[in-house]
């Protein structure tokens, strides 16, 4: 399949954003008031709460921007972007429609949380946030909704691809697992970079680094197994596609047209197969080693290392996603014998 | 609605005879011509007169060589293979559509795209293993074979002309149109007679269109052409004027 830049951007950026929202949701569900506080007023809370990631407004809004940018990128893939709203109607049968709805619904708790954070910031810690309705009920509920929404949206995105029987590489449960895990991985890298830099937060960053490495290991293991199964999948032969395999070995003699067409351009992408080994190694290395290097380097140079890890890991995700599309073979290519 | 309608008894489709298709591309050209001007048109090409003309074709004719081992040795069979929408009974291209633009008609099973609803996400083209759908770069929407729905029910045409353009154009009668849901229809009988088959049934989309396989060759591998027969003219049977003409020309 042709690796379209808009879809790669969409799945990588919104994946990181949703991973971050998932973590933020959990943090807020367990420690709702962290959102309403900055360092100066944290003393009003007992104990060492608020050591959780992504509970400050800036990082929350940055994750918001990642999700929104990703979704806008996905619109660039459409032939008629202005009609995108129509995609919300067929949730009964279409994973793409479900994803659109999940994405929009997730914006509801995300926007409400962002608004709360904003109001708290502008009105300088109003007392209403500390009222039981907000601190015990509304904020935790919004956090849970945000995490669930992020999870469901990424699950739907992955199912758009894994539900396609025509692309054997994608029609695989590992695809859904990899999408979910890699989104979490991206979110963790983002959260690590966002962990505030005063000394009280240092331990959080280290802990997040270790968790990121622990998530990166199953990520690369899944991708390794995915690539292994990709290599062993038999291709659909031309004879089978035409239905004449019993008559003999069938090969194309003449193509229907002298020029390339939509099908051969969209589904007959071959560049990746030529360089797949190297690119797989690059993706594997970047995803696995970025958080490890970030952690080790962090001991020496501090917070900047986690930004380095985020950059490296994101690059790894881009290479991984590019390969995901570029290496996948579509059934129709059998008719062209490619 | 992209949920599939309950199966209809009527299943309009094509039967394509690979034995007699000569690969002349008349069906493809006639299809392009009709659909460029018909109710669903136009079908504009990108760069039509330039170096790399390209555009949407609902019907593309491939040519394959089939290597065969026979007692007399190896030989190759040339098979021309027109490929178009198979109007599947349970098509994934319909169910994946997020907008409801892609739909299957309940009354006759024709799979269509409502261009006013299509957002051009191309997921339906990805979901089709038969390459039946192509996006128009010019229009930004998905295009596909309509089974000439604007011909087959068109009462301004003579009844004999109410057939898909590709079927009308075929000079060898390799294409047949009819109701494959009716076991007694001419197309269904043709399929039963000639062991017509569906393409890649393992996907489970239940194509309606059928292909008739090439008939077995009678002569094994001895593919040497028969010696040209001497033409004989029975002069006595000719009318007077022609007999005279023959005599004059034979001098």
């Amino acid at each position: 399949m042709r690796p379209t830049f808009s879809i790669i951007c969409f799945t990588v950026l919104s994946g990181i954003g949703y991973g971050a929202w998932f973590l933020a949701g959990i943090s807020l569900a367990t420690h709702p008031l962290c959102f309403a506080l900055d360092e100066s007023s944290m003393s009003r809370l007992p104990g060492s709460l608020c050591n959780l990631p992504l509970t400050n407004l800036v990082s929350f809004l940055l994750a918001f921007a990642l999700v929104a940018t990703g979704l806008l990128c996905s619109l660039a893939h459409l032939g008629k972007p202005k009609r995108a709203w129509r995609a919300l109607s067929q949730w009964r049968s279409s994973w793409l429609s479900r994803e659109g709805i999940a994405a929009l619904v997730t914006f509801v708790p995300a926007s409400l949380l962002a608004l709360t954070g904003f109001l708290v910031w502008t009105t300088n810690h109003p007392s209403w946030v500390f009222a039981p309705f907000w601190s015990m009920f509304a904020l935790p509920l919004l956090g849970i909704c945000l995490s669930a929404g992020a999870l469901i949206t990424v699950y739907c995105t992955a199912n758009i691809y894994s539900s396609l029987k025509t692309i054997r590489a994608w029609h695989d449960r590992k695809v859904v697992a990899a999408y979910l895990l890699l989104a979490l991985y991206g979110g963790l890298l983002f959260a690590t970079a966002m962990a505030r830099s005063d000394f009280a937060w240092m331990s959080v960053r280290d802990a997040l680094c270790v968790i990121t490495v622990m998530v990166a290991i199953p990520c690369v293991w899944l991708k390794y197994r995915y690539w292994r199964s990709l290599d062993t999948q038999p291709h659909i032969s031309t004879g089978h596609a035409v239905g004449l395999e019993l008559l003999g070995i069938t090969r194309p003699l003449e193509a229907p047209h002298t020029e390339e067409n939509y099908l051969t351009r969209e589904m007959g992408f071959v560049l990746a197969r030529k360089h797949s080994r190297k690119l797989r190694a690059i993706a594997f290395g970047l995803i696995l080693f970025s958080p490890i290097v970030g952690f080790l380097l962090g001991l020496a140079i501090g917070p900047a290392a986690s930004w380095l890890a985020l950059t490296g890991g994101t690059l790894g995700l881009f290479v991984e996603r590019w390969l995901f599309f570029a290496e996948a073979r579509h059934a129709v290519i059998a008719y062209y014998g490619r | 609605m992209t949920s599939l309608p309950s199966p209809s008894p009527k299943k309009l489709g094509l039967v394509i005879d690979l034995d007699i298709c000569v690969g002349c591309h008349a069906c493809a050209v006639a299809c392009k011509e009709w659909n460029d001007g018909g109710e669903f048109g136009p079908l504009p090409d990108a760069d039509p007169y330039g170096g790399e003309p390209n555009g949407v074709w609902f019907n593309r004719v491939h040519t394959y060589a089939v290597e065969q081992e026979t007692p007399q040795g190896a030989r190759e069979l040339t098979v021309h293979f027109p490929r178009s929408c198979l109007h599947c009974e349970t098509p994934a291209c319909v169910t994946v559509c997020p907008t409801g633009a892609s739909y299957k008609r309940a009354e006759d099973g024709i799979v269509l795209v409502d261009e006013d609803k299509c957002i051009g996400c191309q997921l339906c083209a990805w979901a089709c293993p038969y390459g039946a759908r192509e996006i128009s770069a010019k229009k930004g929407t998905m295009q596909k074979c309509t089974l000439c729905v604007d011909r087959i029910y068109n009462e301004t045409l003579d009844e004999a002309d109410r057939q898909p353009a590709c079927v009308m154009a075929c000079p060898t009668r390799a294409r047949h149109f009819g109701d494959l849901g009716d076991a007694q229809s001419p197309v269904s009988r043709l399929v039963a007679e000639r062991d017509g088959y569906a393409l890649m049934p393992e996907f489970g989309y239940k194509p309606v269109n059928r292909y008739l396989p090439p008939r077995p060759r009678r002569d094994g591998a001895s593919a040497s052409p028969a010696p040209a027969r001497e033409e004989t003219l029975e002069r006595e049977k000719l009318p007077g004027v022609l007999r005279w003409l023959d005599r004059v020309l034979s001098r």
Side-chain angles (χ1 to χ4, degrees):
Chain A
M1 302 296 292
R2 188 166 59 94
T4 318
F5 188 64
S6 56
I7 305 189
I8 295 172
C9 273
F10 156 56
T11 57
V12 171
L13 296 182
S14 71
I16 297 173
Y18 282 123
W21 272 2
F22 177 76
L23 295 169
I26 291 176
S27 301
L28 286 168
T30 49
H31 299 84
L33 283 178
C34 295
F35 202 57
L37 300 171
D38 57 20
E39 286 94 319
S40 61
S41 51
M42 237 169 248
S43 55
R44 292 174 66 175
L45 283 177
S48 61
L49 294 174
C50 301
N51 281 357
L52 287 156
L54 296 164
T55 47
N56 66 4
L57 187 60
V58 176
S59 60
F60 190 84
L61 289 179
L62 272 173
F64 201 113
L66 277 174
V67 171
T69 312
L71 289 170
L72 284 176
C73 282
S74 78
L75 294 187
H77 179 247
L78 301 180
K80 295 271 183 196
K82 283 181 194 159
R83 295 182 187 168
W85 59 272
R86 286 188 181 276
L88 303 174
S89 65
Q90 302 303 313
W91 49 271
R92 284 184 194 83
S93 68
S94 169
W95 280 107
L96 181 50
S97 191
R98 288 170 198 163
E99 184 217 31
I101 291 169
L104 278 194
V105 168
T106 309
F107 271 115
V108 174
S111 305
L112 287 175
L113 282 170
L115 190 69
T116 310
F118 185 72
L119 285 176
V120 168
W121 177 65
T122 49
T123 55
N124 205 10
H125 316 301
S127 53
W128 55 265
V129 189
F130 295 93
F133 172 76
W134 278 97
S135 61
M136 306 293 285
F137 174 72
L139 286 172
L141 184 70
L142 287 174
I144 291 168
C145 289
L146 184 69
S147 288
L151 186 74
I152 292 167
T153 308
V154 176
Y155 179 76
C156 290
T157 308
N159 267 299
I160 294 173
Y161 305 111
S162 81
S163 68
L164 294 173
K165 281 194 247 176
T166 45
I167 300 156
R168 279 189 186 178
W170 296 354
H171 193 54
D172 185 340
R173 269 180 301 177
K174 287 194 281 293
V175 167
V176 179
Y179 262 81
L180 288 170
L181 268 178
L182 287 170
L184 180 64
Y185 166 83
L188 279 166
L189 280 178
F190 180 78
T192 313
M194 287 293 143
R196 277 180 282 187
S197 52
D198 59 283
F199 76 96
W201 291 80
M202 287 299 283
S203 61
V204 176
R205 182 181 299 114
D206 292 346
L208 280 172
C209 260
V210 173
I211 297 170
T212 314
V213 175
M214 279 160 59
V215 171
I217 291 167
C219 282
V220 290
W221 178 74
L222 253 179
K223 286 310 290 185
Y224 174 75
R225 288 212 20 223
Y226 171 83
W227 287 324
R228 280 284 300 275
S229 64
L230 205 66
D231 292 337
T232 52
Q233 268 164 3
H235 298 320
I236 299 173
S237 73
T238 301
H240 179 73
V242 181
L244 296 176
E245 58 191 345
L246 290 178
L247 289 184
I249 298 164
T250 309
R251 62 179 169 82
L253 197 60
E254 283 202 82
H257 291 78
T258 52
E259 305 301 322
E260 295 287 297
N261 62 39
Y262 169 72
L263 297 174
T264 58
R265 277 194 306 270
E266 181 75 8
M267 289 141 195
F269 193 84
V270 287
L271 180 72
R273 288 171 221 148
K274 193 176 162 201
H275 300 296
S276 64
R277 302 279 150 192
K278 280 179 199 162
L279 289 168
R280 284 176 190 180
I282 290 170
F284 189 103
L286 281 172
I287 290 172
L288 181 60
F289 293 117
S290 290
I292 295 176
V293 170
F295 175 67
L296 296 176
L297 211 60
L299 299 176
I301 64 167
S306 55
W307 281 94
L308 212 68
L310 175 62
T311 312
T314 307
L315 262 176
L317 287 177
F318 267 101
V319 177
E320 181 273 329
R321 214 44 58 83
W322 189 86
L323 278 172
F324 176 75
F325 288 96
E327 283 195 293
R329 254 179 173 325
H330 194 282
V332 76
I333 281 316
Y335 289 105
Y336 288 88
R338 296 190 184 180
Chain B
M1 180 51 64
T2 56
S3 297
L4 294 171
S6 49
S8 72
K10 197 173 181 188
K11 294 170 194 167
L12 294 185
L14 298 172
V15 174
I16 296 166
D17 191 343
L18 298 181
D19 190 58
I20 56 174
C21 174
V22 292
C24 69
H25 293 241
C27 53
V29 175
C31 165
K32 178 88 175 172
E33 196 270 338
W34 174 263
N35 287 294
D36 197 26
E39 210 165 286
F40 295 88
L43 265 184
D45 287 339
D47 195 18
Y49 304 106
E52 286 176 10
N54 68 85
V56 175
W57 292 68
F58 297 164
N59 189 7
R60 292 183 183 268
V61 184
H62 295 253
T63 299
Y64 298 107
V66 184
E67 291 169 24
Q68 294 188 308
E69 288 297 329
T70 66
Q72 287 88 347
R75 69 167 177 196
E76 277 194 343
L77 187 69
T78 303
V79 178
H80 304 288
F81 180 86
R83 180 174 56 76
S84 60
C85 176
L86 309 171
H87 296 280
C88 298
E89 286 182 54
T90 53
C93 61
V94 168
T95 52
V96 300
C97 177
T99 67
S102 187
Y103 66 104
K104 184 170 175 69
R105 279 159 60 107
E107 61 268 39
D108 52 19
I110 298 178
V111 178
L112 291 175
V113 175
D114 181 345
E115 274 201 62
D116 295 331
K117 286 186 187 163
C118 177
I119 59 172
C121 72
Q122 306 168 49
L123 195 56
C124 55
W126 290 9
C128 174
Y130 310 110
R133 289 166 171 251
E134 301 183 14
I135 198 163
S136 166
K138 289 250 169 178
K139 294 164 101 178
T141 51
M142 196 51 72
Q143 315 284 316
K144 71 174 293 299
C145 162
T146 64
L147 206 62
C148 280
V149 71
D150 51 346
R151 281 187 71 95
I152 58 178
Y153 295 113
N154 192 337
E155 290 179 3
T156 60
L157 296 176
D158 281 348
E159 205 165 334
D161 289 337
R162 290 179 209 162
Q163 301 226 13
C166 57
V167 174
M168 296 295 294
C170 182
T172 61
R173 289 261 170 264
R175 301 177 76 94
H176 306 267
F177 163 71
D179 180 7
L180 285 142
D182 170 10
Q184 295 310 310
S185 68
V187 278
S188 295
R189 285 208 299 273
L190 199 58
V191 169
E193 213 174 277
R194 294 274 309 279
D195 291 328
Y197 64 92
L199 297 180
M200 295 196 275
E202 71 275 13
F203 280 106
Y205 303 144
K206 297 189 194 163
V208 168
N209 284 14
R210 289 288 184 272
Y211 284 83
L212 307 180
R215 291 187 176 91
R217 294 298 183 259
R218 276 161 296 189
D219 56 345
S222 61
S224 58
R229 248 183 306 151
E230 197 76 32
E231 278 182 315
T232 53
L233 187 67
E234 292 178 50
R235 200 182 291 172
E236 281 66 35
K237 286 187 182 168
L238 290 173
V241 181
L242 290 182
R243 203 156 50 205
W244 171 79
L245 207 71
D246 177 57
R247 204 165 56 230
V248 172
L249 291 173
S250 301
R251 275 180 199 157

